[in-house]
Amino acid sequence: MSYQDFQSAAKSLISSKDGAWTGIDAESVARMQLQNRFKTGLDIAKYTAAIMREDMAAYDADSSQYTQSLGCWHGFIAQQKMISIKKHFGDTKRRYLYLSGWMVAALRSEFGPLPDQSMHEKTSVPALIEELYTFLRQADARELNLLFRDIDAARDAGDAEAEKAAMDKIENFQTHVVPIIADIDAGFGNAEATYLLAKKMIEAGACALQIENQVSDEKQCGHQDGKVTVPHEDFIAKIRACRYAFLELGVEDGIIVTRTDSLGAGLTKQIAVSNEPGDLGDQYNSFLDCEEIDPTTAKNGDVILNRDGKLLRPKRLPSNLFQFRPGTGEDRCVLDSITSLQNGADLLWIETEKPHVEQIAGMMDRVREVIPNAKLVYNNSPSFNWTLNFRQQVYDAMAAEGLDVAEYDRADLMDAKYDDTELGEAADKRIRTFQADGSKRAGIFHHLITLPTYHTAALSTDNLAKEYFGDAGMLGYVLGVQRKEIREGIACVRHQNMSGSDIGDDHKEYFAGDAALKAGGVHNTMNQFG
């Protein structure tokens, strides 16, 4: 519906009340309705799921059409990110949000900072999704409010052309609401617990759920040691649980992202159930580190597998966990990925120990032999030392080509003295094109950075504290923050407006007319930033 359609509908409704609603202004109603496009989280989930599906199809047709996101741990961070994207790029196309379980654990738990081990309250995840979308919806309301004020100013000035320009912007308004890929960890329990949490996350607005194949009670950060995976049938049950949650709530095109941690996970808690040679359970068990035994030498409590007529004893650790054979990680990742896609997953996530396009591509090539349109979500993780990794990749490539690398110390390539060298510049170029290269070569549909705003908050706070509490004093804030905000057009320099003060003033006028006590008068110091 257009601005005029909303206004006409409101006018008809008001007139039908036989004068009882004469204090209600139809145009004000239309404005409030336009500012509240999404009534529920399910409205958002359905809207954004369609966007992701469209983007996935576009990527299948052209791998340069990949998507990106940044992890956001607070609604304000997400809001400012999307305002910035609209300011710099004009639209939000192919730019999403990511909700990181790591950041929920570290920043949003009532227990205080926690490691990424599924110890935080699971209700904090849907609560953050709701918060993110509350702030994005407020960004819509704020921007539209500014356009409504432009219309009023144009009318007061008798400028029909300016009024039409503002109206055109309203009619073509693009929302700040974008898809969110939300981390459900390992499901926080059994499949029923996964289903219940998935429902809450979808109801809050999530169109894409990312779930990993670790055990819930031993869950670890993807970039830490000690990861324990589960047999495929256990994981498939949780994939189905997520799909049932989407279907129950009417989000038929909801997206499930299945993450395999098998590359860095050398342990399993369970021996998979196998009914015949070569079935899924048997394939999972085939990676176990076993030793052949004689039945007469079996020990009390031994777990014994029968494979090809041989009796094998999987190696069991004092922790009661079983270990996989070294060097099987990539094979397990490939099997995990194919199995997930064959059982209802839409996108893959392979957690790696370094950002290396050919390593990722090597696994995805094998997956795509079975499922040609397999697509990857990839974690451009801050846990990687990107500078060191890519400088070492360039060093190795130069050495393989027979080039002279005598001036470089491979173990010390982080040294700033290498910044302006041929090697340093070549590494930076590879970092710059990593996303495009990975999407073209390795099937990466979506690039995300899990924890970027955690690090930017720490860095900016450190810089401000150093200056403000040092010799610069107040100039530390003015030079490092406010003057940059003004000159770079950062919207929240007018923080009263950003928090909704002007929207509130307009509502007061709707409700009380000339009797409204408004905050945005001539004595409001925010006018200094007009």
Side-chain angles (χ1 to χ4, degrees):
M1 291 174 67
S2 70
Y3 188 100
Q4 296 300 333
D5 290 336
F6 275 110
Q7 189 172 347
S8 297
K11 189 175 292 185
S12 296
L13 178 61
I14 293 166
S15 65
S16 73
K17 300 303 177 181
D18 298 325
W21 284 14
T22 54
I24 303 296
D25 177 69
E27 186 166 23
S28 298
V29 172
R31 290 179 176 187
M32 294 177 79
Q33 290 174 332
L34 283 164
Q35 287 174 303
N36 190 27
R37 172 180 176 180
F38 300 100
K39 306 300 187 287
T40 69
L42 279 178
D43 291 340
I44 293 173
K46 291 174 182 178
Y47 168 76
T48 54
I51 289 174
M52 276 197 73
R53 291 289 179 181
E54 181 181 325
D55 288 345
M56 289 161 67
Y59 174 81
D60 285 340
D62 178 0
S63 64
S64 70
Q65 303 299 298
Y66 59 88
T67 57
Q68 299 167 289
S69 65
L70 296 174
C72 298
W73 54 272
H74 192 281
F76 177 73
I77 300 295
Q79 179 196 68
Q80 294 304 302
K81 169 190 155 183
M82 297 317 301
I83 288 173
S84 176
I85 285 171
K86 285 190 69 174
K87 181 181 76 172
H88 291 295
F89 303 103
D91 63 55
T92 62
K93 191 167 180 60
R94 299 194 302 278
R95 299 173 177 102
Y96 303 169
L97 295 181
Y98 178 66
L99 184 151
S100 160
W102 191 101
M103 287 209 283
V104 174
L107 298 169
R108 301 305 300 262
S109 171
E110 292 184 10
F111 292 104
L114 294 172
D116 184 20
Q117 296 172 357
S118 290
M119 294 189 292
H120 54 281
E121 309 90 338
K122 60 184 178 182
T123 53
S124 60
V125 182
L128 179 54
I129 296 169
E130 183 176 3
E131 176 184 296
L132 293 171
Y133 282 127
T134 296
F135 273 77
L136 294 187
R137 290 164 68 196
Q138 194 265 1
D140 280 0
R142 172 190 166 273
E143 188 172 323
L144 284 165
N145 178 257
L146 294 173
L147 292 171
F148 298 154
R149 288 182 167 217
D150 287 345
I151 287 176
D152 293 340
R155 287 174 180 171
D156 290 343
D159 189 340
E161 188 174 333
E163 181 181 354
K164 182 181 183 302
M167 191 67 75
D168 287 344
K169 288 180 181 178
I170 292 168
E171 300 294 2
N172 295 292
F173 181 79
Q174 184 182 46
T175 178
H176 295 81
V177 170
V178 296
I180 183 170
I181 298 175
D183 186 357
I184 197 171
D185 277 27
F188 286 87
N190 60 17
E192 175 70 5
T194 301
Y195 152 77
L196 292 171
L197 178 55
K199 276 185 63 178
K200 288 293 184 184
M201 294 170 70
I202 298 163
E203 288 170 338
C207 72
L209 303 179
Q210 169 230 320
I211 187 165
E212 59 209 59
N213 68 335
Q214 294 190 50
V215 293
S216 292
D217 58 341
E218 299 283 352
K219 193 268 179 191
Q220 294 278 13
C221 170
H223 292 280
Q224 291 185 312
D225 204 357
K227 292 188 289 184
V228 183
T229 62
V230 297
H232 296 101
E233 292 296 347
D234 295 46
F235 191 52
I236 290 169
K238 292 187 177 182
I239 297 174
R240 292 194 191 110
C242 291
R243 182 62 66 202
Y244 272 108
F246 274 123
L247 294 174
E248 178 182 341
L249 295 171
V251 187
E252 296 181 1
D253 51 358
I255 290 96
I256 299 173
V257 183
T258 51
R259 177 175 128 184
T260 172
D261 281 279
S262 290
L263 194 61
L267 304 169
T268 184
K269 199 169 189 176
Q270 298 166 264
I271 304 293
V273 174
S274 174
N275 296 311
E276 59 183 53
D279 65 13
L280 199 52
D282 188 44
Q283 291 180 70
Y284 186 81
N285 294 337
S286 70
F287 295 113
L288 292 169
D289 193 0
C290 301
E291 55 186 350
E292 187 175 354
I293 65 167
D294 186 311
T296 61
T297 63
K299 302 174 184 177
N300 186 54
D302 270 353
V303 172
I304 299 174
L305 300 177
N306 180 358
R307 181 178 296 130
D308 299 328
K310 298 179 181 178
L311 296 180
L312 305 174
R313 177 168 55 207
K315 293 181 181 177
R316 185 160 56 178
L317 306 177
S319 60
N320 204 31
L321 299 171
F322 299 92
Q323 68 183 35
F324 292 110
R325 295 193 313 278
T328 61
E330 290 201 3
D331 290 339
R332 286 183 282 128
C333 280
V334 171
L335 179 61
D336 294 344
S337 298
I338 292 171
T339 301
S340 291
L341 292 174
Q342 290 174 333
N343 287 275
D346 300 291
L347 296 169
L348 302 172
W349 174 320
I350 298 175
E351 194 76 304
T352 66
E353 83 289 357
K354 60 182 180 294
H356 195 293
V357 170
E358 284 305 317
Q359 178 198 32
I360 304 162
M363 290 182 279
M364 283 300 289
D365 286 346
R366 295 170 62 188
V367 173
R368 285 181 152 189
E369 287 176 4
V370 180
I371 303 172
N373 70 335
K375 290 179 283 296
L376 197 64
V377 171
Y378 188 71
N379 179 7
N380 293 210
S381 177
S383 292
F384 302 143
N385 184 330
W386 286 77
T387 302
L388 182 60
N389 266 290
F390 277 84
R391 286 182 179 181
Q392 288 181 339
Q393 288 178 38
V394 171
Y395 178 97
D396 293 342
M398 291 173 66
E401 292 175 21
L403 300 176
D404 184 7
V405 292
E407 65 177 293
Y408 305 111
D409 180 356
R410 191 181 187 280
D412 192 34
L413 289 175
M414 271 300 297
D415 196 306
K417 69 184 180 182
Y418 297 126
D419 288 357
D420 297 323
T421 62
E422 180 184 357
L423 182 146
E425 291 174 356
D428 283 352
K429 181 179 179 181
R430 287 196 184 196
I431 295 171
R432 183 181 299 110
T433 63
F434 173 80
Q435 294 186 335
D437 295 341
S439 292
K440 182 178 180 180
R441 172 69 184 94
I444 301 176
F445 159 73
H446 185 76
H447 287 275
L448 61 89
I449 310 180
T450 43
L451 327 175
T453 53
Y454 175 90
H455 291 280
T456 55
L459 179 61
S460 62
T461 303
D462 178 80
N463 289 334
L464 176 59
K466 176 180 64 177
E467 296 298 323
Y468 177 73
F469 293 102
D471 293 339
M474 193 58 200
L475 186 60
Y477 172 77
V478 172
L479 282 181
V481 182
Q482 191 181 79
R483 196 173 294 173
K484 288 184 177 181
E485 285 182 308
I486 295 169
R487 291 177 176 174
E488 295 179 22
I490 305 300
C492 67
V493 70
R494 297 178 64 218
H495 48 260
Q496 307 286 17
N497 169 269
M498 184 58 64
S499 69
S501 179
D502 290 343
I503 295 174
D505 270 2
D506 287 353
H507 288 174
K508 290 174 187 177
E509 189 171 351
Y510 300 165
F511 306 153
D514 292 339
L517 181 63
K518 297 191 287 187
V522 294
H523 298 298
N524 188 320
T525 59
M526 284 289 99
N527 294 329
Q528 297 171 27
F529 301 96

